[in-house]
Amino acid sequence: MTTVDDLTAEVLAGKHGPAPAEVPATSVFWVHHGTRLAGGNVTYRNQYVLARVGTAFGACAFAEGEADPAVCANYSGAPVARLLTEAPAPVRVAALDAYLGHVRPHRTAERVVLPAGTPEERAQARDAAVAGLLDVEPGAKVALIGVVNPLVAAIRERGAECLPCDLQLRTTQWGDPVTPDMRDVLGVADAVVATGMTIGNGTFDEILRTCREREIPLVVYAQTASAVARHFLGAGVTALSAEPFPFSQFSADATTLFRYRT
Protein backbone atom coordinates (compact mmCIF):
# COMPACT_ATOMS: atom_id res chain seq x y z
CA MET A 1 0.00 0.00 0.00
CA THR A 2 1.66 3.22 -1.15
CA THR A 3 -1.20 5.62 -1.93
CA VAL A 4 -4.66 6.55 -0.68
CA ASP A 5 -6.15 4.96 -3.80
CA ASP A 6 -4.34 1.71 -2.92
CA LEU A 7 -5.87 1.82 0.56
CA THR A 8 -9.33 2.45 -0.89
CA ALA A 9 -8.94 -0.55 -3.20
CA GLU A 10 -7.95 -2.73 -0.25
CA VAL A 11 -11.02 -1.61 1.70
CA LEU A 12 -13.30 -2.33 -1.25
CA ALA A 13 -11.72 -5.79 -1.48
CA GLY A 14 -12.59 -6.46 2.16
CA LYS A 15 -9.00 -6.53 3.39
CA HIS A 16 -9.57 -4.21 6.36
CA GLY A 17 -12.89 -5.38 7.75
CA PRO A 18 -16.44 -6.28 6.72
CA ALA A 19 -17.41 -5.90 3.09
CA PRO A 20 -18.19 -2.21 2.55
CA ALA A 21 -21.09 -3.17 0.27
CA GLU A 22 -22.79 -4.49 3.41
CA VAL A 23 -21.93 -1.61 5.77
CA PRO A 24 -24.20 1.47 5.62
CA ALA A 25 -23.13 5.08 5.92
CA THR A 26 -26.00 5.99 8.20
CA SER A 27 -25.61 9.73 7.83
CA VAL A 28 -23.84 12.12 5.49
CA PHE A 29 -23.87 15.75 6.56
CA TRP A 30 -22.33 19.12 5.94
CA VAL A 31 -20.69 21.76 8.16
CA HIS A 32 -19.74 25.25 7.00
CA HIS A 33 -18.25 27.67 9.51
CA GLY A 34 -15.91 30.61 9.85
CA THR A 35 -13.37 31.35 12.58
CA ARG A 36 -11.16 34.33 13.37
CA LEU A 37 -9.03 33.95 16.50
CA ALA A 38 -8.40 36.98 18.73
CA GLY A 39 -5.41 38.96 17.49
CA GLY A 40 -5.50 37.26 14.12
CA ASN A 41 -5.97 38.83 10.72
CA VAL A 42 -7.36 35.75 8.95
CA THR A 43 -10.90 34.42 8.89
CA TYR A 44 -10.72 30.68 8.30
CA ARG A 45 -13.67 29.57 6.17
CA ASN A 46 -14.01 25.84 6.61
CA GLN A 47 -16.35 23.43 4.89
CA TYR A 48 -16.55 19.78 5.86
CA VAL A 49 -18.53 16.84 4.63
CA LEU A 50 -18.91 14.12 7.25
CA ALA A 51 -20.09 10.53 7.22
CA ARG A 52 -21.27 8.31 10.06
CA VAL A 53 -20.40 4.62 9.83
CA GLY A 54 -21.24 2.54 12.88
CA THR A 55 -19.34 3.95 15.87
CA ALA A 56 -17.26 6.48 13.94
CA PHE A 57 -17.52 9.77 12.11
CA GLY A 58 -15.32 10.44 9.10
CA ALA A 59 -14.52 13.91 7.84
CA CYS A 60 -13.10 15.73 4.86
CA ALA A 61 -12.55 19.47 4.54
CA PHE A 62 -12.93 20.71 0.99
CA ALA A 63 -12.71 23.80 -1.17
CA GLU A 64 -15.59 25.72 -2.70
CA GLY A 65 -17.26 23.81 -5.53
CA GLU A 66 -15.88 20.35 -4.75
CA ALA A 67 -19.20 19.13 -3.36
CA ASP A 68 -22.66 20.50 -2.69
CA PRO A 69 -25.34 19.88 -0.02
CA ALA A 70 -27.15 17.41 -2.28
CA VAL A 71 -24.65 14.74 -1.20
CA CYS A 72 -26.38 14.61 2.18
CA ALA A 73 -29.64 13.31 0.68
CA ASN A 74 -27.98 11.32 -2.09
CA TYR A 75 -25.70 9.22 0.11
CA SER A 76 -27.16 9.06 3.63
CA GLY A 77 -28.02 5.41 4.26
CA ALA A 78 -26.17 4.13 1.20
CA PRO A 79 -23.58 1.34 1.45
CA VAL A 80 -20.02 2.52 2.08
CA ALA A 81 -18.97 0.86 -1.18
CA ARG A 82 -21.27 3.16 -3.13
CA LEU A 83 -19.76 6.23 -1.50
CA LEU A 84 -16.23 4.98 -2.17
CA THR A 85 -16.87 4.37 -5.86
CA GLU A 86 -19.29 7.02 -7.12
CA ALA A 87 -19.48 9.96 -4.70
CA PRO A 88 -17.53 13.24 -5.11
CA ALA A 89 -13.97 13.11 -3.79
CA PRO A 90 -14.64 14.75 -0.38
CA VAL A 91 -17.44 12.25 0.31
CA ARG A 92 -15.18 9.33 -0.69
CA VAL A 93 -12.52 10.49 1.76
CA ALA A 94 -15.06 11.02 4.57
CA ALA A 95 -16.54 7.56 3.97
CA LEU A 96 -13.11 5.89 3.92
CA ASP A 97 -12.20 7.71 7.14
CA ALA A 98 -15.45 6.69 8.84
CA TYR A 99 -15.16 3.05 7.79
CA LEU A 100 -11.57 2.76 9.02
CA GLY A 101 -12.42 4.59 12.25
CA HIS A 102 -15.31 2.18 12.82
CA VAL A 103 -13.34 -1.04 12.28
CA ARG A 104 -10.40 0.25 14.32
CA PRO A 105 -11.31 3.03 16.77
CA HIS A 106 -8.75 5.62 17.84
CA ARG A 107 -9.36 4.80 21.50
CA THR A 108 -6.16 2.76 21.95
CA ALA A 109 -3.80 5.66 21.08
CA GLU A 110 -2.19 8.15 23.47
CA ARG A 111 -4.92 10.48 24.68
CA VAL A 112 -4.27 14.21 24.99
CA VAL A 113 -7.02 16.13 26.74
CA LEU A 114 -7.47 19.67 25.47
CA PRO A 115 -8.61 21.82 28.40
CA ALA A 116 -11.87 23.69 28.56
CA GLY A 117 -11.41 27.30 27.58
CA THR A 118 -11.66 29.98 24.93
CA PRO A 119 -11.10 29.23 21.24
CA GLU A 120 -7.61 30.75 21.51
CA GLU A 121 -6.66 28.69 24.56
CA ARG A 122 -7.91 25.48 23.00
CA ALA A 123 -6.21 26.16 19.65
CA GLN A 124 -2.90 26.81 21.42
CA ALA A 125 -3.22 23.59 23.43
CA ARG A 126 -4.08 21.58 20.33
CA ASP A 127 -1.20 22.96 18.28
CA ALA A 128 1.27 22.51 21.14
CA ALA A 129 0.22 18.85 21.21
CA VAL A 130 0.89 18.60 17.47
CA ALA A 131 4.28 20.32 17.74
CA GLY A 132 5.13 17.94 20.58
CA LEU A 133 5.29 15.16 18.00
CA LEU A 134 8.23 16.87 16.30
CA ASP A 135 11.66 15.49 17.11
CA VAL A 136 14.00 18.03 15.53
CA GLU A 137 17.13 19.89 16.51
CA PRO A 138 17.05 23.66 17.20
CA GLY A 139 17.34 25.52 13.92
CA ALA A 140 15.83 22.68 11.87
CA LYS A 141 13.64 23.70 8.94
CA VAL A 142 10.08 22.46 9.33
CA ALA A 143 7.72 22.66 6.35
CA LEU A 144 4.18 23.41 7.52
CA ILE A 145 1.73 22.41 4.79
CA GLY A 146 -1.62 23.82 5.82
CA VAL A 147 -1.04 26.94 7.91
CA VAL A 148 -2.72 27.74 11.21
CA ASN A 149 -1.03 30.54 13.10
CA PRO A 150 -0.91 28.89 16.57
CA LEU A 151 0.95 25.96 15.01
CA VAL A 152 3.46 28.31 13.38
CA ALA A 153 4.08 29.71 16.86
CA ALA A 154 4.30 26.23 18.43
CA ILE A 155 6.93 25.12 15.90
CA ARG A 156 9.01 28.23 16.57
CA GLU A 157 8.73 27.70 20.32
CA ARG A 158 10.55 24.39 19.80
CA GLY A 159 13.46 26.29 18.26
CA ALA A 160 12.71 25.30 14.67
CA GLU A 161 12.38 27.47 11.58
CA CYS A 162 8.88 27.27 10.08
CA LEU A 163 8.50 27.12 6.29
CA PRO A 164 4.78 27.82 5.75
CA CYS A 165 2.81 26.59 2.73
CA ASP A 166 -0.91 27.04 2.12
CA LEU A 167 -3.20 27.22 -0.90
CA GLN A 168 -5.22 30.11 0.55
CA LEU A 169 -3.08 32.20 2.93
CA ARG A 170 -0.32 34.46 1.66
CA THR A 171 1.17 35.62 4.97
CA THR A 172 1.19 34.39 8.53
CA GLN A 173 -0.16 36.47 11.40
CA TRP A 174 3.36 37.90 11.75
CA GLY A 175 3.78 38.82 8.10
CA ASP A 176 5.90 35.84 7.03
CA PRO A 177 5.37 34.95 3.35
CA VAL A 178 3.43 31.75 2.69
CA THR A 179 4.13 29.84 -0.51
CA PRO A 180 1.24 28.16 -2.36
CA ASP A 181 3.59 25.55 -3.87
CA MET A 182 4.57 22.76 -1.49
CA ARG A 183 7.55 21.86 -3.68
CA ASP A 184 9.14 25.11 -2.53
CA VAL A 185 9.41 23.73 0.99
CA LEU A 186 9.47 19.94 0.57
CA GLY A 187 12.88 19.98 -1.07
CA VAL A 188 14.64 21.96 1.66
CA ALA A 189 12.83 20.90 4.85
CA ASP A 190 14.38 18.77 7.58
CA ALA A 191 10.90 17.66 8.65
CA VAL A 192 7.34 18.12 7.42
CA VAL A 193 4.12 18.82 9.29
CA ALA A 194 1.07 18.42 7.03
CA THR A 195 -2.64 18.71 7.61
CA GLY A 196 -5.05 15.90 6.87
CA MET A 197 -6.59 18.22 4.27
CA THR A 198 -3.76 17.11 1.98
CA ILE A 199 -5.54 13.75 1.79
CA GLY A 200 -8.73 15.51 0.76
CA ASN A 201 -7.13 17.66 -1.92
CA GLY A 202 -4.99 14.88 -3.39
CA THR A 203 -1.53 16.19 -2.48
CA PHE A 204 -0.83 13.74 0.32
CA ASP A 205 0.62 11.02 -1.90
CA GLU A 206 3.32 13.36 -3.24
CA ILE A 207 4.18 14.59 0.25
CA LEU A 208 4.41 10.99 1.47
CA ARG A 209 6.59 9.93 -1.46
CA THR A 210 8.95 12.90 -1.04
CA CYS A 211 9.39 12.30 2.69
CA ARG A 212 10.11 8.62 2.05
CA GLU A 213 12.66 9.42 -0.65
CA ARG A 214 14.39 12.11 1.40
CA GLU A 215 14.09 10.06 4.61
CA ILE A 216 12.73 12.96 6.63
CA PRO A 217 10.02 12.86 9.33
CA LEU A 218 6.40 13.48 8.36
CA VAL A 219 3.95 14.50 11.09
CA VAL A 220 0.28 14.66 10.11
CA TYR A 221 -2.27 16.65 12.09
CA ALA A 222 -5.69 15.51 11.03
CA GLN A 223 -9.27 16.41 11.52
CA THR A 224 -9.77 15.41 7.90
CA ALA A 225 -9.11 11.70 7.34
CA SER A 226 -7.40 10.96 10.65
CA ALA A 227 -8.08 7.21 10.38
CA VAL A 228 -6.83 7.22 6.78
CA ALA A 229 -3.55 8.91 7.75
CA ARG A 230 -3.08 6.32 10.53
CA HIS A 231 -2.68 3.56 7.93
CA PHE A 232 0.53 5.20 6.70
CA LEU A 233 2.28 5.19 10.07
CA GLY A 234 5.62 3.53 9.55
CA ALA A 235 5.19 3.80 5.77
CA GLY A 236 6.23 7.44 5.45
CA VAL A 237 4.22 8.98 8.29
CA THR A 238 6.26 9.09 11.50
CA ALA A 239 3.67 10.62 13.83
CA LEU A 240 -0.01 11.55 13.80
CA SER A 241 -2.30 13.81 15.79
CA ALA A 242 -5.78 12.44 15.14
CA GLU A 243 -8.78 14.57 16.06
CA PRO A 244 -11.99 12.84 14.99
CA PHE A 245 -15.32 14.67 14.90
CA PRO A 246 -16.65 16.53 16.87
CA PHE A 247 -13.64 18.79 16.53
CA SER A 248 -12.16 20.94 19.29
CA GLN A 249 -13.40 24.19 17.73
CA PHE A 250 -17.00 23.07 18.20
CA SER A 251 -16.79 22.87 21.99
CA ALA A 252 -15.65 24.98 24.93
CA ASP A 253 -15.39 21.88 27.12
CA ALA A 254 -12.49 19.47 27.46
CA THR A 255 -12.08 17.20 24.44
CA THR A 256 -9.60 14.52 23.41
CA LEU A 257 -7.22 14.09 20.54
CA PHE A 258 -5.16 10.96 19.91
CA ARG A 259 -1.41 10.86 19.22
CA TYR A 260 0.50 8.13 17.45
CA ARG A 261 4.25 7.71 17.01
CA THR A 262 6.22 5.12 15.07
Side-chain angles (χ1 to χ4, degrees), residues 69-121:
V71 298
C72 302
N74 290 344
Y75 295 105
S76 290
V80 169
R82 183 180 161 209
L83 276 66
L84 292 178
T85 54
E86 67 177 64
V91 181
R92 295 199 302 270
V93 171
L96 180 64
D97 188 35
Y99 175 90
L100 293 171
H102 170 61
V103 299
R104 183 186 162 201
H106 284 297
R107 301 184 189 102
T108 58
E110 175 197 3
R111 291 172 175 259
V112 177
V113 177
L114 305 179
T118 66
E120 292 75 24
E121 290 167 342

Side-chain angles (χ1 to χ4, degrees), residues 168-236:
Q168 303 297 326
L169 301 182
R170 289 298 169 262
T171 63
T172 69
Q173 178 180 338
W174 302 275
D176 310 286
V178 176
T179 179
D181 189 344
M182 65 184 187
R183 296 176 183 86
D184 292 342
V185 298
L186 283 176
V188 297
D190 301 305
V192 176
V193 178
T195 175
M197 288 180 66
T198 59
I199 296 173
N201 67 22
T203 59
F204 176 75
D205 290 340
E206 182 176 349
I207 295 168
L208 190 70
R209 182 174 63 253
T210 301
C211 290
R212 285 173 180 151
E213 291 172 351
R214 296 193 57 225
E215 298 183 340
I216 59 174
L218 171 58
V219 176
V220 178
Y221 66 105
Q223 293 181 336
T224 289
S226 60
V228 178
R230 179 180 58 189
H231 272 265
F232 295 90
L233 282 163

